[in-house]
PDB file of all heavy atoms in Angstrom:
ATOM      1  N   ALA A  24       0.828  -1.215  -0.008  1.00 98.00           N
ATOM      2  CA  ALA A  24       0.008   0.002   0.001  1.00 98.00           C
ATOM      3  C   ALA A  24       0.886   1.264  -0.014  1.00 98.00           C
ATOM      4  O   ALA A  24       0.534   2.246  -0.652  1.00 98.00           O
ATOM      5  CB  ALA A  24      -0.940  -0.012   1.203  1.00 98.00           C
ATOM      6  N   LEU A  25       1.984   1.242   0.734  1.00 98.00           N
ATOM      7  CA  LEU A  25       2.884   2.375   0.715  1.00 98.00           C
ATOM      8  C   LEU A  25       3.508   2.541  -0.644  1.00 98.00           C
ATOM      9  O   LEU A  25       3.677   3.688  -1.154  1.00 98.00           O
ATOM     10  CB  LEU A  25       3.967   2.191   1.771  1.00 98.00           C
ATOM     11  CG  LEU A  25       3.563   2.241   3.259  1.00 98.00           C
ATOM     12  CD1 LEU A  25       4.792   2.037   4.137  1.00 98.00           C
ATOM     13  CD2 LEU A  25       2.854   3.536   3.578  1.00 98.00           C
ATOM     14  N   ARG A  26       3.871   1.445  -1.348  1.00 98.00           N
ATOM     15  CA  ARG A  26       4.447   1.501  -2.651  1.00 98.00           C
ATOM     16  C   ARG A  26       3.435   2.034  -3.666  1.00 98.00           C
ATOM     17  O   ARG A  26       3.775   2.799  -4.567  1.00 98.00           O
ATOM     18  CB  ARG A  26       4.922   0.140  -3.119  1.00 98.00           C
ATOM     19  CG  ARG A  26       6.142  -0.371  -2.361  1.00 98.00           C
ATOM     20  CD  ARG A  26       7.395   0.313  -2.801  1.00 98.00           C
ATOM     21  NE  ARG A  26       8.563  -0.312  -2.132  1.00 98.00           N
ATOM     22  CZ  ARG A  26       9.810   0.126  -2.244  1.00 98.00           C
ATOM     23  NH1 ARG A  26      10.078   1.197  -2.966  1.00 98.00           N
ATOM     24  NH2 ARG A  26      10.789  -0.497  -1.628  1.00 98.00           N
ATOM     25  N   ALA A  27       2.189   1.578  -3.559  1.00 98.00           N
ATOM     26  CA  ALA A  27       1.134   2.015  -4.496  1.00 98.00           C
ATOM     27  C   ALA A  27       0.914   3.552  -4.390  1.00 98.00           C
ATOM     28  O   ALA A  27       0.891   4.238  -5.396  1.00 98.00           O
ATOM     29  CB  ALA A  27      -0.153   1.283  -4.255  1.00 98.00           C
ATOM     30  N   ALA A  28       0.789   4.017  -3.163  1.00 98.00           N
ATOM     31  CA  ALA A  28       0.656   5.469  -2.982  1.00 98.00           C
ATOM     32  C   ALA A  28       1.910   6.188  -3.406  1.00 98.00           C
ATOM     33  O   ALA A  28       1.893   7.273  -4.042  1.00 98.00           O
ATOM     34  CB  ALA A  28       0.311   5.793  -1.519  1.00 98.00           C
ATOM     35  N   GLY A  29       3.087   5.595  -3.079  1.00 98.00           N
ATOM     36  CA  GLY A  29       4.358   6.194  -3.468  1.00 98.00           C
ATOM     37  C   GLY A  29       4.533   6.330  -4.952  1.00 98.00           C
ATOM     38  O   GLY A  29       5.098   7.314  -5.449  1.00 98.00           O
ATOM     39  N   ALA A  30       4.014   5.359  -5.724  1.00 98.00           N
ATOM     40  CA  ALA A  30       4.085   5.448  -7.156  1.00 98.00           C
ATOM     41  C   ALA A  30       3.288   6.628  -7.681  1.00 98.00           C
ATOM     42  O   ALA A  30       3.728   7.373  -8.577  1.00 98.00           O
ATOM     43  CB  ALA A  30       3.557   4.135  -7.796  1.00 98.00           C
ATOM     44  N   ALA A  31       2.088   6.834  -7.133  1.00 98.00           N
ATOM     45  CA  ALA A  31       1.289   7.972  -7.554  1.00 98.00           C
ATOM     46  C   ALA A  31       1.974   9.305  -7.240  1.00 98.00           C
ATOM     47  O   ALA A  31       1.915  10.244  -8.043  1.00 98.00           O
ATOM     48  CB  ALA A  31      -0.098   7.940  -6.870  1.00 98.00           C
ATOM     49  N   LEU A  32       2.662   9.354  -6.096  1.00 98.00           N
ATOM     50  CA  LEU A  32       3.380  10.580  -5.734  1.00 98.00           C
ATOM     51  C   LEU A  32       4.606  10.790  -6.575  1.00 98.00           C
ATOM     52  O   LEU A  32       4.867  11.928  -7.013  1.00 98.00           O
ATOM     53  CB  LEU A  32       3.742  10.536  -4.246  1.00 98.00           C
ATOM     54  CG  LEU A  32       2.587  10.431  -3.278  1.00 98.00           C
ATOM     55  CD1 LEU A  32       3.132  10.440  -1.825  1.00 98.00           C
ATOM     56  CD2 LEU A  32       1.559  11.528  -3.493  1.00 98.00           C
ATOM     57  N   ALA A  33       5.361   9.707  -6.804  1.00 98.00           N
ATOM     58  CA  ALA A  33       6.564   9.842  -7.688  1.00 98.00           C
ATOM     59  C   ALA A  33       6.191  10.208  -9.088  1.00 98.00           C
ATOM     60  O   ALA A  33       6.873  11.020  -9.735  1.00 98.00           O
ATOM     61  CB  ALA A  33       7.315   8.506  -7.650  1.00 98.00           C
ATOM     62  N   ALA A  34       5.076   9.674  -9.582  1.00 98.00           N
ATOM     63  CA  ALA A  34       4.606  10.032 -10.901  1.00 98.00           C
ATOM     64  C   ALA A  34       4.240  11.522 -10.958  1.00 98.00           C
ATOM     65  O   ALA A  34       4.523  12.220 -11.929  1.00 98.00           O
ATOM     66  CB  ALA A  34       3.433   9.179 -11.311  1.00 98.00           C
ATOM     67  N   THR A  35       3.579  11.966  -9.900  1.00 98.00           N
ATOM     68  CA  THR A  35       3.209  13.401  -9.803  1.00 98.00           C
ATOM     69  C   THR A  35       4.434  14.254  -9.840  1.00 98.00           C
ATOM     70  O   THR A  35       4.504  15.285 -10.567  1.00 98.00           O
ATOM     71  CB  THR A  35       2.420  13.629  -8.517  1.00 98.00           C
ATOM     72  OG1 THR A  35       1.212  12.856  -8.586  1.00 98.00           O
ATOM     73  CG2 THR A  35       2.025  15.094  -8.424  1.00 98.00           C
ATOM     74  N   ASP A  36       5.460  13.897  -9.035  1.00 98.00           N
ATOM     75  CA  ASP A  36       6.701  14.687  -9.035  1.00 98.00           C
ATOM     76  C   ASP A  36       7.350  14.729 -10.418  1.00 98.00           C
ATOM     77  O   ASP A  36       7.798  15.783 -10.853  1.00 98.00           O
ATOM     78  CB  ASP A  36       7.698  14.044  -8.028  1.00 98.00           C
ATOM     79  CG  ASP A  36       7.334  14.297  -6.576  1.00 98.00           C
ATOM     80  OD1 ASP A  36       6.604  15.253  -6.308  1.00 98.00           O
ATOM     81  OD2 ASP A  36       7.820  13.534  -5.717  1.00 98.00           O
ATOM     82  N   ALA A  37       7.427  13.553 -11.077  1.00 98.00           N
ATOM     83  CA  ALA A  37       8.120  13.498 -12.375  1.00 98.00           C
ATOM     84  C   ALA A  37       7.368  14.266 -13.450  1.00 98.00           C
ATOM     85  O   ALA A  37       7.985  14.939 -14.289  1.00 98.00           O
ATOM     86  CB  ALA A  37       8.257  12.022 -12.803  1.00 98.00           C
ATOM     87  N   VAL A  38       6.043  14.211 -13.398  1.00 98.00           N
ATOM     88  CA  VAL A  38       5.259  14.961 -14.393  1.00 98.00           C
ATOM     89  C   VAL A  38       5.352  16.482 -14.097  1.00 98.00           C
ATOM     90  O   VAL A  38       5.515  17.305 -15.011  1.00 98.00           O
ATOM     91  CB  VAL A  38       3.794  14.479 -14.413  1.00 98.00           C
ATOM     92  CG1 VAL A  38       2.922  15.390 -15.265  1.00 98.00           C
ATOM     93  CG2 VAL A  38       3.755  13.044 -14.948  1.00 98.00           C
ATOM     94  N   MET A  39       5.295  16.841 -12.846  1.00 98.00           N
ATOM     95  CA  MET A  39       5.403  18.245 -12.487  1.00 98.00           C
ATOM     96  C   MET A  39       6.779  18.802 -12.860  1.00 98.00           C
ATOM     97  O   MET A  39       6.906  19.974 -13.242  1.00 98.00           O
ATOM     98  CB  MET A  39       5.138  18.450 -11.021  1.00 98.00           C
ATOM     99  CG  MET A  39       3.643  18.338 -10.603  1.00 98.00           C
ATOM    100  SD  MET A  39       2.585  19.588 -11.388  1.00 98.00           S
ATOM    101  CE  MET A  39       3.347  21.085 -10.838  1.00 98.00           C
ATOM    102  N   ALA A  40       7.802  18.003 -12.753  1.00 98.00           N
ATOM    103  CA  ALA A  40       9.165  18.418 -13.044  1.00 98.00           C
ATOM    104  C   ALA A  40       9.425  18.481 -14.546  1.00 98.00           C
ATOM    105  O   ALA A  40      10.462  18.979 -14.976  1.00 98.00           O
ATOM    106  CB  ALA A  40      10.151  17.495 -12.362  1.00 98.00           C
ATOM    107  N   GLY A  41       8.499  17.951 -15.355  1.00 98.00           N
ATOM    108  CA  GLY A  41       8.721  17.909 -16.777  1.00 98.00           C
ATOM    109  C   GLY A  41       9.571  16.764 -17.232  1.00 98.00           C
ATOM    110  O   GLY A  41       9.907  16.661 -18.442  1.00 98.00           O
ATOM    111  N   GLU A  42       9.930  15.833 -16.339  1.00 98.00           N
ATOM    112  CA  GLU A  42      10.712  14.634 -16.723  1.00 98.00           C
ATOM    113  C   GLU A  42       9.826  13.693 -17.588  1.00 98.00           C
ATOM    114  O   GLU A  42      10.324  12.997 -18.459  1.00 98.00           O
ATOM    115  CB  GLU A  42      11.155  13.869 -15.495  1.00 98.00           C
ATOM    116  CG  GLU A  42      12.082  14.637 -14.606  1.00 98.00           C
ATOM    117  CD  GLU A  42      12.349  13.855 -13.315  1.00 98.00           C
ATOM    118  OE1 GLU A  42      12.045  12.647 -13.272  1.00 98.00           O
ATOM    119  OE2 GLU A  42      12.862  14.468 -12.332  1.00 98.00           O
ATOM    120  N   LEU A  43       8.518  13.685 -17.297  1.00 98.00           N
ATOM    121  CA  LEU A  43       7.519  12.895 -18.033  1.00 98.00           C
ATOM    122  C   LEU A  43       6.377  13.789 -18.446  1.00 98.00           C
ATOM    123  O   LEU A  43       6.051  14.745 -17.765  1.00 98.00           O
ATOM    124  CB  LEU A  43       6.997  11.765 -17.138  1.00 98.00           C
ATOM    125  CG  LEU A  43       8.004  10.767 -16.561  1.00 98.00           C
ATOM    126  CD1 LEU A  43       7.340   9.886 -15.531  1.00 98.00           C
ATOM    127  CD2 LEU A  43       8.635   9.913 -17.684  1.00 98.00           C
ATOM    128  N   ASP A  44       5.769  13.419 -19.546  1.00 98.00           N
ATOM    129  CA  ASP A  44       4.547  14.148 -19.990  1.00 98.00           C
ATOM    130  C   ASP A  44       3.364  13.661 -19.173  1.00 98.00           C
ATOM    131  O   ASP A  44       2.467  14.458 -18.823  1.00 98.00           O
ATOM    132  CB  ASP A  44       4.288  13.935 -21.462  1.00 98.00           C
ATOM    133  CG  ASP A  44       5.397  14.545 -22.323  1.00 98.00           C
ATOM    134  OD1 ASP A  44       5.640  15.747 -22.194  1.00 98.00           O
ATOM    135  OD2 ASP A  44       6.006  13.809 -23.121  1.00 98.00           O
ATOM    136  N   ASN A  45       3.284  12.376 -18.934  1.00 98.00           N
ATOM    137  CA  ASN A  45       2.228  11.762 -18.163  1.00 98.00           C
ATOM    138  C   ASN A  45       2.696  10.410 -17.615  1.00 98.00           C
ATOM    139  O   ASN A  45       3.851  10.031 -17.896  1.00 98.00           O
ATOM    140  CB  ASN A  45       0.935  11.625 -18.984  1.00 98.00           C
ATOM    141  CG  ASN A  45       1.191  10.894 -20.285  1.00 98.00           C
ATOM    142  OD1 ASN A  45       1.812   9.842 -20.337  1.00 98.00           O
ATOM    143  ND2 ASN A  45       0.674  11.434 -21.429  1.00 98.00           N
ATOM    144  N   ALA A  46       1.870   9.728 -16.905  1.00 98.00           N
ATOM    145  CA  ALA A  46       2.308   8.448 -16.293  1.00 98.00           C
ATOM    146  C   ALA A  46       1.123   7.541 -15.998  1.00 98.00           C
ATOM    147  O   ALA A  46      -0.004   7.984 -15.773  1.00 98.00           O
ATOM    148  CB  ALA A  46       3.052   8.726 -14.996  1.00 98.00           C
ATOM    149  N   PHE A  47       1.419   6.244 -16.030  1.00 99.00           N
ATOM    150  CA  PHE A  47       0.466   5.190 -15.651  1.00 99.00           C
ATOM    151  C   PHE A  47       1.077   4.412 -14.534  1.00 99.00           C
ATOM    152  O   PHE A  47       2.225   3.923 -14.655  1.00 99.00           O
ATOM    153  CB  PHE A  47       0.121   4.295 -16.816  1.00 99.00           C
ATOM    154  CG  PHE A  47      -0.751   3.114 -16.482  1.00 99.00           C
ATOM    155  CD1 PHE A  47      -2.051   3.305 -16.044  1.00 99.00           C
ATOM    156  CD2 PHE A  47      -0.259   1.794 -16.557  1.00 99.00           C
ATOM    157  CE1 PHE A  47      -2.899   2.244 -15.726  1.00 99.00           C
ATOM    158  CE2 PHE A  47      -1.087   0.756 -16.223  1.00 99.00           C
ATOM    159  CZ  PHE A  47      -2.407   0.977 -15.808  1.00 99.00           C
ATOM    160  N   CYS A  48       0.352   4.229 -13.433  1.00 98.00           N
ATOM    161  CA  CYS A  48       0.840   3.480 -12.277  1.00 98.00           C
ATOM    162  C   CYS A  48       0.140   2.162 -12.209  1.00 98.00           C
ATOM    163  O   CYS A  48      -1.076   2.075 -11.892  1.00 98.00           O
ATOM    164  CB  CYS A  48       0.591   4.270 -10.968  1.00 98.00           C
ATOM    165  SG  CYS A  48       1.418   5.871 -10.951  1.00 98.00           S
ATOM    166  N   ALA A  49       0.833   1.050 -12.574  1.00 98.00           N
ATOM    167  CA  ALA A  49       0.300  -0.290 -12.488  1.00 98.00           C
ATOM    168  C   ALA A  49       0.592  -0.791 -11.083  1.00 98.00           C
ATOM    169  O   ALA A  49       1.623  -1.425 -10.828  1.00 98.00           O
ATOM    170  CB  ALA A  49       0.920  -1.192 -13.563  1.00 98.00           C
ATOM    171  N   VAL A  50      -0.287  -0.488 -10.146  1.00 98.00           N
ATOM    172  CA  VAL A  50      -0.072  -0.760  -8.751  1.00 98.00           C
ATOM    173  C   VAL A  50      -1.276  -1.418  -8.105  1.00 98.00           C
ATOM    174  O   VAL A  50      -2.393  -1.307  -8.630  1.00 98.00           O
ATOM    175  CB  VAL A  50       0.319   0.542  -7.954  1.00 98.00           C
ATOM    176  CG1 VAL A  50       1.666   1.082  -8.422  1.00 98.00           C
ATOM    177  CG2 VAL A  50      -0.757   1.593  -8.103  1.00 98.00           C
ATOM    178  N   ARG A  51      -1.034  -2.078  -7.007  1.00 98.00           N
ATOM    179  CA  ARG A  51      -2.102  -2.608  -6.182  1.00 98.00           C
ATOM    180  C   ARG A  51      -1.529  -2.674  -4.740  1.00 98.00           C
ATOM    181  O   ARG A  51      -0.327  -2.794  -4.612  1.00 98.00           O
ATOM    182  CB  ARG A  51      -2.630  -3.951  -6.680  1.00 98.00           C
ATOM    183  CG  ARG A  51      -1.508  -4.968  -6.944  1.00 98.00           C
ATOM    184  CD  ARG A  51      -2.089  -6.278  -7.503  1.00 98.00           C
ATOM    185  NE  ARG A  51      -2.967  -6.951  -6.580  1.00 98.00           N
ATOM    186  CZ  ARG A  51      -2.560  -7.653  -5.582  1.00 98.00           C
ATOM    187  NH1 ARG A  51      -1.258  -7.874  -5.322  1.00 98.00           N
ATOM    188  NH2 ARG A  51      -3.403  -8.276  -4.771  1.00 98.00           N
ATOM    189  N   PRO A  52      -2.385  -2.619  -3.738  1.00 98.00           N
ATOM    190  CA  PRO A  52      -3.835  -2.546  -3.796  1.00 98.00           C
ATOM    191  C   PRO A  52      -4.347  -1.265  -4.446  1.00 98.00           C
ATOM    192  O   PRO A  52      -3.683  -0.233  -4.400  1.00 98.00           O
ATOM    193  CB  PRO A  52      -4.248  -2.628  -2.353  1.00 98.00           C
ATOM    194  CG  PRO A  52      -3.080  -2.201  -1.532  1.00 98.00           C
ATOM    195  CD  PRO A  52      -1.889  -2.624  -2.322  1.00 98.00           C
ATOM    196  N   PRO A  53      -5.549  -1.367  -5.044  1.00 98.00           N
ATOM    197  CA  PRO A  53      -6.155  -0.193  -5.619  1.00 98.00           C
ATOM    198  C   PRO A  53      -6.585   0.766  -4.492  1.00 98.00           C
ATOM    199  O   PRO A  53      -6.355   0.487  -3.297  1.00 98.00           O
ATOM    200  CB  PRO A  53      -7.389  -0.721  -6.355  1.00 98.00           C
ATOM    201  CG  PRO A  53      -7.711  -1.995  -5.664  1.00 98.00           C
ATOM    202  CD  PRO A  53      -6.402  -2.567  -5.171  1.00 98.00           C
ATOM    203  N   GLY A  54      -7.285   1.912  -4.855  1.00 98.00           N
ATOM    204  CA  GLY A  54      -7.476   2.880  -3.796  1.00 98.00           C
ATOM    205  C   GLY A  54      -8.829   3.571  -3.726  1.00 98.00           C
ATOM    206  O   GLY A  54      -9.151   4.150  -2.678  1.00 98.00           O
ATOM    207  N   HIS A  55      -9.676   3.556  -4.777  1.00 98.00           N
ATOM    208  CA  HIS A  55     -10.740   4.540  -4.809  1.00 98.00           C
ATOM    209  C   HIS A  55     -11.894   4.272  -3.864  1.00 98.00           C
ATOM    210  O   HIS A  55     -12.798   5.102  -3.716  1.00 98.00           O
ATOM    211  CB  HIS A  55     -11.208   4.781  -6.266  1.00 98.00           C
ATOM    212  CG  HIS A  55     -12.115   3.688  -6.804  1.00 98.00           C
ATOM    213  ND1 HIS A  55     -13.071   3.971  -7.747  1.00 98.00           N
ATOM    214  CD2 HIS A  55     -12.137   2.356  -6.609  1.00 98.00           C
ATOM    215  CE1 HIS A  55     -13.686   2.836  -8.075  1.00 98.00           C
ATOM    216  NE2 HIS A  55     -13.123   1.854  -7.395  1.00 98.00           N
ATOM    217  N   HIS A  56     -11.919   3.080  -3.188  1.00 98.00           N
ATOM    218  CA  HIS A  56     -12.915   2.855  -2.159  1.00 98.00           C
ATOM    219  C   HIS A  56     -12.426   3.180  -0.768  1.00 98.00           C
ATOM    220  O   HIS A  56     -13.204   3.190   0.191  1.00 98.00           O
ATOM    221  CB  HIS A  56     -13.370   1.357  -2.187  1.00 98.00           C
ATOM    222  CG  HIS A  56     -14.084   0.957  -3.394  1.00 98.00           C
ATOM    223  ND1 HIS A  56     -15.215   1.650  -3.881  1.00 98.00           N
ATOM    224  CD2 HIS A  56     -13.928  -0.073  -4.265  1.00 98.00           C
ATOM    225  CE1 HIS A  56     -15.635   1.084  -4.979  1.00 98.00           C
ATOM    226  NE2 HIS A  56     -14.900   0.017  -5.249  1.00 98.00           N
ATOM    227  N   ALA A  57     -11.146   3.486  -0.627  1.00 98.00           N
ATOM    228  CA  ALA A  57     -10.591   3.824   0.654  1.00 98.00           C
ATOM    229  C   ALA A  57     -11.019   5.222   1.071  1.00 98.00           C
ATOM    230  O   ALA A  57     -10.653   6.227   0.431  1.00 98.00           O
ATOM    231  CB  ALA A  57      -9.065   3.723   0.622  1.00 98.00           C
ATOM    232  N   CYS A  58     -11.794   5.307   2.147  1.00 98.00           N
ATOM    233  CA  CYS A  58     -12.285   6.561   2.674  1.00 98.00           C
ATOM    234  C   CYS A  58     -11.209   7.224   3.538  1.00 98.00           C
ATOM    235  O   CYS A  58     -10.168   6.618   3.836  1.00 98.00           O
ATOM    236  CB  CYS A  58     -13.570   6.352   3.434  1.00 98.00           C
ATOM    237  SG  CYS A  58     -14.911   5.598   2.495  1.00 98.00           S
ATOM    238  N   ARG A  59     -11.485   8.388   3.984  1.00 98.00           N
ATOM    239  CA  ARG A  59     -10.551   9.104   4.844  1.00 98.00           C
ATOM    240  C   ARG A  59     -10.173   8.271   6.092  1.00 98.00           C
ATOM    241  O   ARG A  59      -9.004   8.196   6.465  1.00 98.00           O
ATOM    242  CB  ARG A  59     -11.101  10.445   5.281  1.00 98.00           C
ATOM    243  CG  ARG A  59     -10.153  11.266   6.190  1.00 98.00           C
ATOM    244  CD  ARG A  59     -10.732  12.608   6.511  1.00 98.00           C
ATOM    245  NE  ARG A  59     -10.933  13.411   5.306  1.00 98.00           N
ATOM    246  CZ  ARG A  59      -9.994  14.080   4.656  1.00 98.00           C
ATOM    247  NH1 ARG A  59      -8.768  14.064   5.146  1.00 98.00           N
ATOM    248  NH2 ARG A  59     -10.281  14.797   3.555  1.00 98.00           N
ATOM    249  N   ASP A  60     -11.156   7.590   6.635  1.00 98.00           N
ATOM    250  CA  ASP A  60     -10.908   6.850   7.898  1.00 98.00           C
ATOM    251  C   ASP A  60     -11.334   5.415   7.824  1.00 98.00           C
ATOM    252  O   ASP A  60     -11.615   4.785   8.871  1.00 98.00           O
ATOM    253  CB  ASP A  60     -11.639   7.558   9.041  1.00 98.00           C
ATOM    254  CG  ASP A  60     -11.099   8.958   9.322  1.00 98.00           C
ATOM    255  OD1 ASP A  60      -9.884   9.075   9.557  1.00 98.00           O
ATOM    256  OD2 ASP A  60     -11.900   9.898   9.296  1.00 98.00           O
ATOM    257  N   LYS A  61     -11.374   4.803   6.624  1.00 97.00           N
ATOM    258  CA  LYS A  61     -11.881   3.456   6.511  1.00 97.00           C
ATOM    259  C   LYS A  61     -11.279   2.765   5.271  1.00 97.00           C
ATOM    260  O   LYS A  61     -11.299   3.317   4.169  1.00 97.00           O
ATOM    261  CB  LYS A  61     -13.407   3.494   6.411  1.00 97.00           C
ATOM    262  CG  LYS A  61     -14.037   2.100   6.361  1.00 97.00           C
ATOM    263  CD  LYS A  61     -15.558   2.243   6.255  1.00 97.00           C
ATOM    264  CE  LYS A  61     -16.240   0.918   6.240  1.00 97.00           C
ATOM    265  NZ  LYS A  61     -17.728   1.035   6.162  1.00 97.00           N
ATOM    266  N   ALA A  62     -10.794   1.527   5.455  1.00 98.00           N
ATOM    267  CA  ALA A  62     -10.395   0.678   4.341  1.00 98.00           C
ATOM    268  C   ALA A  62     -11.594  -0.196   3.988  1.00 98.00           C
ATOM    269  O   ALA A  62     -12.298  -0.729   4.860  1.00 98.00           O
ATOM    270  CB  ALA A  62      -9.212  -0.168   4.750  1.00 98.00           C
TER     271      ALA A  62
END
């Protein structure tokens, strides 16, 4: 889970820095059902 979130953050850094135009993160566990205080 730390790696999955870390990939999204590293991709954000690289795209913001102009190193990449965009990025795809093939990671798991997925995330969009995780609420602020609930898995």
Side-chain angles (χ1 to χ4, degrees):
L25 292 181
R26 290 285 185 186
L32 299 182
T35 300
D36 286 338
V38 171
M39 285 298 302
E42 298 172 16
L43 301 171
D44 295 304
N45 53 49
F47 175 67
C48 301
V50 294
R51 50 183 297 281
H55 76 150
H56 293 309
C58 301
R59 181 176 299 279
D60 295 305
K61 183 180 181 181

